[in-house]
Amino acid sequence: MANESISKETISTVQKIPLLTVNAGPRDSDLWVKRLKEEYTALIKYVQINKEADNDWFTLESNKQGTRWTGKCWYIYNYLKYEFDFEFDMPVTYPATAPEIAIPELEGLTPKMYRGGKICLTIHFKPLWAKNAPRFGIAHALALGLAPWLAAEVPFLVDQGKIVHKEQMQSIRKDT
């Protein structure tokens, strides 16, 4: 998994996330249920790893079928917490195809995003996913996709004035 664009810290974290063994997607009924159990196990482990490292940065839940996922993610920059809703649907061809994670409220604010607020993961993440499918799961997509994207884009968006912290917004409103 050596990749110059992935930090040693991230690689160390990802290596602790269990790899998945069930090669099944949403159309595979009974096998999908087994895959979902593995997904939840990996997600729980990833959350534990993050909490132990004092790096808790997301919440996530799914619909009953495990095909639609929604959550909140946050990134701390200049001692301020920037929080966003995120979402994704499981592709029909999952796990061969990675989920496309979207942060709709940031749509149009950065070139590293597609229509619908889907974050750009093509250059660094998609080849890594393709190489490791079906062993990678949702936890891996968050660790290797969403987390690095937030780390790169949130500071850029803040520094460009494209996003403003909610407390700063309230202060601006009081002054006007």
Side-chain angles (χ1 to χ4, degrees):
M1 194 180 343
N3 187 327
E4 302 82 42
S5 66
I6 301 172
S7 73
K8 290 178 184 177
E9 197 173 271
T10 299
I11 291 170
S12 173
T13 298
V14 169
Q15 288 174 338
K16 296 174 190 170
I17 300 171
L19 295 173
L20 288 75
T21 61
V22 177
N23 186 2
R27 293 191 283 184
D28 295 321
S29 60
D30 291 343
L31 281 176
W32 177 239
V33 172
K34 290 179 182 178
R35 173 72 183 209
L36 279 175
K37 288 179 183 177
E38 286 189 340
E39 295 281 3
Y40 278 112
T41 299
L43 281 164
I44 290 166
K45 179 65 177 174
Y46 183 43
V47 168
Q48 288 171 341
I49 292 165
N50 286 335
K51 287 186 184 239
E52 288 168 7
D54 195 25
N55 188 28
D56 193 23
W57 65 273
F58 72 91
T59 60
L60 184 64
E61 60 185 38
S62 75
N63 65 3
K64 187 177 179 182
Q65 299 80 22
T67 55
R68 174 106 178 119
W69 296 75
T70 57
K72 291 202 176 289
C73 59
W74 51 91
Y75 187 80
I76 311 269
Y77 180 62
N78 289 338
Y79 305 105
L80 296 172
K81 180 179 178 181
Y82 294 86
E83 186 172 283
F84 312 98
D85 292 330
F86 75 100
E87 62 190 34
F88 58 91
D89 293 316
M90 298 308 284
V92 181
T93 55
Y94 185 83
T97 305
E100 293 183 320
I101 302 168
I103 306 174
E105 68 193 277
L106 298 181
E107 181 178 8
L109 298 182
T110 170
K112 294 182 182 170
M113 185 170 270
Y114 301 115
R115 188 176 311 166
K118 292 179 180 170
I119 65 173
C120 176
L121 297 173
T122 52
I123 295 172
H124 303 292
F125 176 69
K126 296 256 177 161
L128 193 58
W129 182 276
K131 181 180 175 184
N132 289 282
R135 298 178 312 254
F136 273 8
I138 295 165
H140 300 90
L142 296 176
L144 293 166
L146 182 57
W149 190 92
L150 289 170
E153 291 303 302
V154 171
F156 169 78
L157 291 169
V158 171
D159 293 345
Q160 295 292 311
K162 292 185 177 181
I163 58 175
V164 178
H165 190 266
K166 60 185 171 190
E167 289 176 11
Q168 292 172 327
M169 256 334 253
Q170 291 168 349
S171 174
I172 293 168
R173 288 185 186 135
K174 287 179 186 175
D175 292 341
T176 57

